[in-house]
Every structure is written in C-alpha cells, then in structure tokens.
Amino acid sequence: MSIVVEALGARPTTADRERHRAMREADPVARDPDSGRWLVYRYEDAARVLTDHAAFTSEYASSSAVVSRLFSGREPVVITPAMHRELRRTVSRRFTPGVVAALGSRVLTVTTELLDRVAGDERIDLATDLAFPLPVRVIAELLGVPQEDMDSVLEWVDALCGNDSQPPLVPAQRRVSACDARAELLAYLSALVAQYRRKGASVTMLDPASGSSALTAEFLKTEIDGKRLDDGQAVALLGLLLLSGHLTTTSLLASVVLCLDAFPAVSDEVRAFPELLAPTIEEVLRYSTPVSRVTRRAKLDVDLGGRRVLAGEQVVVVMDSVNQDERRFPDPERFDIHRRRTSRLSTGYGLPFGPGSPVARLQTRMALELLLWRYCEISVDRAALRAQLIGWITVPTSMPLRVRSKRAVHNAEVPPTGLQGSHLSRGRRHSR
C-alpha cells in the first residue's frame, strides 16, 4: 500500500477507501438511508452531476452554512442560485488570463512579506504564517479592503472560522471572540458597502494604474433578476467570499507540502525541475482532494448510474471516491505527478476562488515556489499537526515545519523576476 497523507485528514482512511471501492463496483449511485440523498461514487457519474448544468444545480448548502456564522442570531440573508450565478459571472469577466497573470506579482509580494516575518527561523508554522493569511489577504485586497484594515479582517475571519477545540490562527493578544468578530465584521462590511456606493467604481483594485475597480464595486453594479443587490445581499456576498473563499487554498497548500514531505523522491524531482510544480498541484488535487463532498440538486428527473433521480432531490458527489476511480485513473493509490490522464474533479462549492480556480492555483504555485526557493529542507512535524473540519474541507490550524534556509534572506528580498522556475535551480546549487 502506498504512503498516504492522512495527517491532515484530507484523504479517507483505509477502511473508507475499501468501502468506496466496493460502492464503485456494486452501487455507484446509492441512496443514503439516513438523509435520503443520492451518493455518487464513480468518476463518470460525478462528472455529469458537476458539469450538466441543465440537469443539476448547486445547492450552496455549505456556503449558506458559512454565511450563517456571520448572521448567527440575526435573520439570515439567503445566497440564492441567481446570486451565486451572477457572482461567478462577475468574477469570470474580471479574471481573464491576463489579469490573473498580473495578479501574480501581488501574490509574490504578499507571500514574501509573510515569509520575511519568519526569516531565519528554523521552525515555522505553515498554517499561521502563510497558508491562512495569504489567501485571506489576497481575497480581501481583491474586494477592495484597505491595507490598514487587513489585520482586523484577518482577526475576524479567524474567529468566525475557528473551532473551540482548536487553537486560533492569530496571536493571543489580537484574538477576538466569535461574537465580537461577528458584530465587528458585519459593521465593517456594511460600512465598506456604503463607501463603495458613494464612490462607485472610482475605487481601484490592486494596481491603481490599471483603472480596474474593486470587486465590491463590481458586485454593487451587478443586476440579479433585473435588480441590483441591496445592502444585506452585498454584505452576505462579501462575507461568503471572506469566510469561505480562502479555505480550499489553505487546505490545498497544506496538502501539497504534506505530499512532498511524504514522497521525498517527488520533492527532489520538483526542486530539480520546477516546471513540475503545476502537474504536482494537479495530482494533489486528485490524490488528496481538498473538498471531500459536493452537493447538487436535480433540476429535472434524470437517469444517473442506473438510478432514477427525481427533480428536487439532492445528489452528493463523494469526491474522495471519484478521484480514486480506477476506471479513470490507473493505479489510483499511487501518487504520480506524471500521469498522462490528469483530468480530475476538484470542484468545491462553486465559488470563484475554489480549489480549481486560476486564482487558487496561482496562490498555491507561487507560495510553493517561494518556499522551495528559500528553504533547502522542509519537513512536517506531524505529531504537532492540528486541523479542523469546516463544511467538507479539512483546514490546518497548526502545521509546524522544520526548515533550513538555503541562504541568508533579507527583508523584502525577492527571487529573480518572474518566478518562472530557473531561480529554484540556482537556489538548489547554493544549498549544496
């Protein structure tokens, strides 16, 4: 049996894998006796559920659960399918390949700033030092949150996404209770929406020279069923992105580091040939899927895997089964970054910053490139690893790493321009 990366909880246990294999063979689309939902275990059936938008629609149950943390004790604002659809369209229009590529320089700057804070340390915490603050900051900046408010936003998001049984991600002196965070974040987002309503699209996003307005301004101009978002809906959308948009990137980055730690030959190969980082991330998305379950609702009566699914019934894709389907992936238990057939399913909640999105891939790749450039040795202290389950995403709350720097790294020092890979090979020679 291959080495499995189960420390983060991102992979099913051996017993789960055996059960999934049996279900793929005997009952690939099965009715769950407790919930009444349909469970999908095979790749082919799952691909249809996730791509046939005429037959299946997103339920957003997990997204709504996240938003409920923000509106706990208040009348909730429902994220309707129409709102979700327009959110995706707005983000898709904005994030063309060119814009995503340009965003890379900002991601590199933020990653560098975060790693500069622990420069010279022989032990860092991937979760608290990088994997959590990086995507939260990037999303907040895209929404138009000013830099001077960034620490407060990080505190609020940490408190609302936290778990009483796990340590929070911000220092003790800056922690706030979930109740206080809820009130403060709601007030802040309401004020931010009011500010953008006054200023319109004149507020820029990341690069003032680009003239590109913040996503908040874009959302306020978006029409849903002929009407623009009211303040409550706008706050709910911003809260949804802040509270859940970072989760899959945090989990994915941790999973990649765990896989490289578990498979040292792969780690050595990636260091020698940095262009292999992209296929490595794709294989991690398959092998250690960040989101283990995805829910859809049937829009009409459909035949699926020999079963009759009626309109209105919920269908749950068991992601950690379908990405191990031997019909699609030969020898699925093997971690293989050279797979010829890499089309795996990694769709999360349908969010624009989900695990398969260009923005999530960009953040993960650039963070890994910089980690590998700075450190010639990276090992995970698995005994000290802590994680929590948010929805169907396992998110690290503490992931200590033992690291050894290749070279002295000074504040604000960045790798050679572009981070296109050659710097890793150069840095590797310095480490010997």
Side-chain angles (χ1 to χ4, degrees):
M1 185 178 70
S2 66
I3 300 174
V4 294
V5 184
E6 294 179 347
L8 187 62
R11 297 205 74 216
T13 63
T14 300
D16 286 335
R17 292 197 299 276
E18 292 298 330
R19 181 172 57 84
H20 291 167
R21 183 180 298 110
M23 294 302 292
R24 288 195 297 269
E25 290 296 329
D27 201 3
V29 178
R31 174 86 74 174
D32 179 57
D34 297 323
S35 67
R37 297 176 177 177
W38 292 102
L39 303 179
V40 178
Y41 292 93
R42 283 185 186 172
Y43 182 98
E44 183 179 4
D45 298 322
R48 183 185 176 194
V49 171
L50 296 176
T51 60
D52 187 350
H53 303 301
F56 299 94
T57 183
S58 298
E59 274 294 303
Y60 314 123
S62 297
S63 298
S64 297
V66 172
V67 173
S68 70
R69 297 185 180 214
L70 182 61
F71 288 95
S72 177
R74 302 180 180 217
E75 183 177 352
V77 177
V78 177
I79 304 294
T80 66
M83 290 171 64
H84 222 292
R85 182 174 59 251
E86 291 304 320
L87 168 67
R88 289 185 59 82
R89 286 178 179 173
T90 298
V91 174
S92 296
R93 285 195 298 267
R94 287 291 308 279
F95 288 100
T96 62
V99 170
V100 172
L103 180 62
S105 62
R106 184 57 192 159
V107 173
L108 174 59
T109 298
V110 173
T111 304
T112 300
E113 290 173 356
L114 292 171
L115 289 181
D116 278 347
R117 297 177 183 179
V118 293
D121 293 356
E122 295 181 352
R123 187 180 177 91
I124 67 174
D125 193 310
L126 183 72
T128 59
D129 294 332
L130 183 62
F132 168 73
L134 172 62
V136 174
R137 282 187 57 176
V138 169
I139 292 173
E141 289 189 5
L142 291 172
L143 294 175
V145 172
Q147 287 298 319
E148 59 267 23
D149 298 336
M150 204 61 66
D151 284 344
S152 295
V153 169
L154 283 168
E155 294 166 21
W156 297 328
V157 172
D158 173 54
L160 288 170
C161 287
N163 184 318
D164 291 339
S165 65
Q166 297 293 350
L169 297 175
V170 298
Q173 64 271 21
R174 296 201 344 248
R175 293 175 195 164
V176 293
S177 69
C179 183
D180 290 340
R182 184 178 299 113
E184 292 171 14
L185 182 56
L186 275 172
Y188 179 81
L189 294 179
S190 297
L192 189 68
V193 167
Q195 174 188 356
Y196 274 89
R197 285 205 190 279
R198 290 194 302 269
K199 295 184 178 181
S202 62
V203 183
T204 57
M205 188 173 68
L206 299 179
D207 181 4
S210 70
S212 182
S213 59
L215 281 174
T216 298
E218 295 291 329
F219 293 153
L220 294 178
K221 294 188 295 182
T222 299
E223 291 191 359
I224 299 172
D225 297 330
K227 297 180 181 180
R228 292 192 175 184
L229 296 177
D230 61 32
D231 288 354
Q233 292 172 324
V235 168
L237 283 179
L238 298 187
L240 171 62
L241 290 178
L242 281 174
L243 295 181
S244 63
H246 71 283
L247 296 176
T248 49
T249 301
T250 300
S251 180
L252 175 59
L253 181 54
S255 293
V256 175
V257 173
L258 277 166
C259 284
L260 292 179
D261 181 65
F263 302 101
V266 174
S267 179
D268 289 344
E269 190 175 10
V270 169
R271 286 182 179 276
F273 303 98
E275 63 272 15
L276 292 176
L277 258 179
T280 298
I281 292 171
E282 295 303 307
E283 177 66 351
V284 171
L285 283 167
R286 183 201 69 82
Y287 182 84
S288 187
T289 307
V291 182
S292 60
R293 302 289 187 275
V294 178
T295 301
R296 294 291 185 264
R297 178 175 55 81
K299 298 169 65 175
L300 42 85
D301 295 353
V302 294
D303 291 318
L304 183 69
R307 299 281 194 158
R308 186 67 171 173
V309 178
L310 303 181
E313 291 186 323
Q314 291 190 1
V315 180
V316 179
V317 175
V318 184
M319 300 295 290
D320 42 19
S321 172
V322 302
N323 280 329
Q324 295 289 315
D325 190 345
E326 44 283 295
R327 295 163 185 78
R328 181 73 182 185
F329 306 104
D331 194 8
E333 286 293 314
R334 180 166 52 91
F335 184 71
D336 182 4
I337 65 173
H338 299 288
R339 286 186 182 275
R340 294 184 178 180
R341 198 172 195 180
T342 59
S343 178
R344 81 287 171 279
L345 298 173
S346 62
T347 302
Y349 299 148
L351 294 174
F353 302 119
S357 75
V359 175
R361 279 192 177 97
L362 176 72
Q363 292 180 79
T364 302
R365 178 177 60 81
M366 300 201 78
L368 288 166
E369 287 188 351
L370 196 53
L371 279 169
L372 295 176
W373 180 75
R374 288 200 172 199
Y375 303 113
C376 60
E377 293 181 6
I378 300 174
S379 62
V380 180
D381 183 354
R382 292 171 181 260
L385 180 60
R386 299 291 182 270
Q388 65 172 320
L389 190 66
I390 300 179
W392 286 107
I393 306 175
T394 304
V395 184
T397 56
S398 181
M399 187 172 169
L401 304 179
R402 292 178 289 266
V403 297
R404 186 162 69 90
S405 299
K406 290 178 178 178
R407 47 178 294 186
V409 179
H410 304 288
N411 287 342
E413 182 181 7
V414 297
T417 303
L419 260 175
Q420 296 302 311
S422 60
H423 61 282
L424 291 178
S425 297
R426 290 197 294 271
R428 193 167 188 261
R429 287 196 292 271
H430 283 294
S431 69
R432 302 304 182 200

